[in-house]
Amino acid sequence: MVLQVQTSTYEAKTQEIAKQLLAATSENRSFLSSLRDQMRWDDKLLAWAMSNPGLRVQLFRFIDTLPALHSKSEIASHLQEYLGDESVELPPALKGMLNFANPDSMPGQVAATTVGTAVETLAHKYISGENIKQVIKTVERLRKEKMAFTIDLLGEAVITEAEAQFYLERYLELMQQLVEASKNWSAIPAIDEADGEAIPKVQVSVKLTAFYSQFDPLDAKGSEERVSDRIRILLRRAKELGAAVHFDMEQYAYKDITLSILKKLLLEEEFRQRRDIGITIQAYLRDSEQDTKDVISWLKERGYPLTIRLVKGAYWDQETIKAAQKHWKQPVYNDKPATDANFETITQLLLENHQYVYSAIGSHNVRSHSRAIAIAESLNVPRRRLELQVLYGMGDKVAKALVDRGYRVRVYCPYGELLPGMAYLIRRLLENTANSSFLRQNLENRPIEELLAPPIVKDEKNSSTPNSSLPTPNSHFLGAADTDYAEEEVRTKAAQAFQSVRQQLGKTYLPLINGEYVNPPEFVDSLNPSNFSEIVGKVGLISIEQAEQAMQAAKAAFPGWKKTPAKQRADILRKAGDLMELRRAELSVWIVLEVGKPVKEADGEVSEAIDFCRYYADEIERLDKGVNYDIPGETNHYIYQPRGIAVVISPWNFPLAIACGMTVAALVSGNCTLLKPAETSSVIAAKLTEILVDAGFPKGVFQYVPGKGSQVGAYLVNHSDTHVIAFTGSQEVGCRIYAEAAILKPGQKHMKRVIAEMGGKNAIIVDESADLDQAVVGIVQSAFGYSGQKCSAASRVIVLQPIYDAFVQRLVEATKSLNIGEAELPSTQVGPVIDANARNRIREYIEKGKAEAQLALELPAPEQGYFIGPVIFSEVSPNAVISQEEIFGPVLAVIRVKDFQEALAVANGTNFALTGGLYSRTPSHIQQAQTEFEVGNLYINRNITGAIVGRQPFGGFKLSGVGSKAGGPDYLLQFLEPRAVTENIQRQGFAPIEGAD
């Protein structure tokens, strides 16, 4: 029976042990009080970063860029750009060092050498070696100090299957060489055995996601299969060698699937009795206590103990930012005391269950270690069941003090080349220099009572709400949250939605005219592009006569709808958004099946449609207030009124979001609206129709009029009663609509307003300073997401000469690693194109590309649907056909340029100006792109698709379109006529004057 001891008893003992440990390390508590001119440059950089928040940010950004800088001149110029920023207050020594006129000058070279050496020295503090030989030397020194070790391999992000395989092979080699070296190590009882049980001398720490480049919780089964195959190889080899393996925990999105995979794998007969394996719990996660309880229950069932490493967690900033951006609940605690308190709770939980688990307490906080020791001593926990862990280069004195007390200490040692290890270095520097860091507070000579006080948790009652820790003060609009497929119950719900929708396939959808579903003269089958033998639905196409009936119904309904208060119209729209949220899973499935869009992207489209409803509802209420320009004796009121009848011609590539956005903008502005969707996506438009009718839009106000574009579309565009035409589609059709709308028809008493979004030839520039891991991932998503069929998709990448070859190589490998298949499969990243016409047209462009450029990659594709595998061309001329014409498919042209100025010229050298991107860590390049890159939406250091309503209003200029940006503050103005009303309020020489008695 586990002995339970009062927490107060633990506290007294914790304080006693902590004071003893601090006393043993006190000689190190004078860091910041050292005279700065006696410090080395690496120490100076850290000290300055602690005392100057502005410098801290810019310095760490510079360090992040350092791996991409290949000459002293580049280092010097970036030093000036980052640290010469006006917002940064520089210490005199640093200011003097940066005071050079030219990066190539001798002072510039000296500055580059000084800072480069200082950063390298810093890196050596936290990285245990650049190769296995250096690592062996490090761990042998640690063992002499009676400390055990675990080795973690640093390196580039795993974004290709070749890299995932290489990751496995490097670990197999690492274990082999460490075990070989260990044969010459003498036994050290303090760390090599406990309670008569031998402890492996060699331990490695691995990251589960690095074993499969396409690791994704949505594809839980596929990810588990691919990862488990490689893990089994690793664990079998580790057993042969007598090495231990520990699994690190990474981002929150991967937590549940990581635990699930390991629990399943470690119950297999082959691995069930293994005790030399460990898993990790992160205390900064709100659900980590429950996870710990679940793991302990599982270990009881397993019957053999494993190690649980308890850490605070290393991705706090990343997790809070992602949750805020996604409108998800914060997975982490918002303040450090809450994490510290949870850490102590879980420490107690682990040690009170010591017969089932080996506890490894990882921290640099003396109090955290002291708490663990206090509990362990109070409960008489056997030595084998507890070890204390620290990171290499952090808390060295604490580690020594713990060893001196007789506790087993293990040092977590990252190893790898210094430059790819910069991301790890920055995490350590952030931790060291944060105000809340125990290490920093200890170095600042804070009172012992303050350092060792129990963590006091604030009331976090409301802090798990979205954005609770990261408010967005510049925007009142909070968008719909995308589905988080990391949650198992959500994935189950999605699977059920597929079953439900499949039972409805093949139904007939009729046009809606004047509130009635009417029989049309013609029907067309809408097919699943992933499997064109499957009919999604039969859609009725209206005749010209029915189009005229719809137009007359709209005319009749307009006077009443125009008079309907804006608030009432907005509330109907909000109800439509709420209905979409309720039907989200089913709507996503219809998008997947009718237009072949992969699941996650379909879900994002539903979010966008919901956002349009809610954003435009808010906007019309804002605009309805008008603007007053009153002066004494006169009122001047600027107001808006609806234009009349709007015709919406929507595309197939965003069949719900764009159709919804254009339609509801017209409706909420007080216009009667006819929606003519693309024929290939008319079933989804019918589902939108059901929602708008259920929400309460009156008959005649909204009508669903599917029909042939060349007949019905042209008739509605040319109709004399049409006031607004909102179109998204090809440049050819858009320009024709624009021309036809300009012609005054008999009986027409107004000029038609045309809003047209007509695509792009979107380019991403990658310069020498770019983070290639980030660039490759973002470009693969931008070019091949939804098979390149987004208006915003990347079809050109413009790469600077020095990194061109390395970039193309990684881009090709990353693209090879993509899964191509039916859109509904959770593993699919590249689905089909929309239909046979599109497939044939894209194939023609591929043949043109083969004639004018080098084919770098052409992936095979399944035969049963309209599939085209991703294609990459290299050494493409900026003037080639595939560089100039919109292809609208998974075809990417990679163009080589000599410098950034040429890159911008090439980027701007087409007829389009829709979206563009830049991957760079050079501030002057970022600044220049912001002013000179001719695009409606410019994305810097991220992918260029997925604009969010109210955050990235979307639309371009030149031949990419005409009109204001969708999802922005000007959009509704296009559906409204402005009026100014002036009244003279003087009567017989007097007028009310505000403020007068």
Side-chain angles (χ1 to χ4, degrees), residues 422-438:
M422 282 300 161
Y424 175 83
L425 171 62
I426 287 169
R427 286 207 300 276
R428 298 290 72 80
L429 295 178
L430 285 169
E431 187 176 342
N432 259 341
T433 59
N435 287 328
S436 56
S437 156
F438 179 89

Side-chain angles (χ1 to χ4, degrees), residues 213 221 379 391 415 463 506 519 698 720 760 832:
S213 64
K221 188 169 182 290
L379 298 177
L391 289 173
Y415 112 88
S463 62
N519 282 312
S720 60

Side-chain angles (χ1 to χ4, degrees), residues 819-832:
N819 296 316
I820 306 165
E822 294 179 36
E824 67 186 272
L825 298 175
S827 60
T828 293
Q829 287 130 339
V830 181

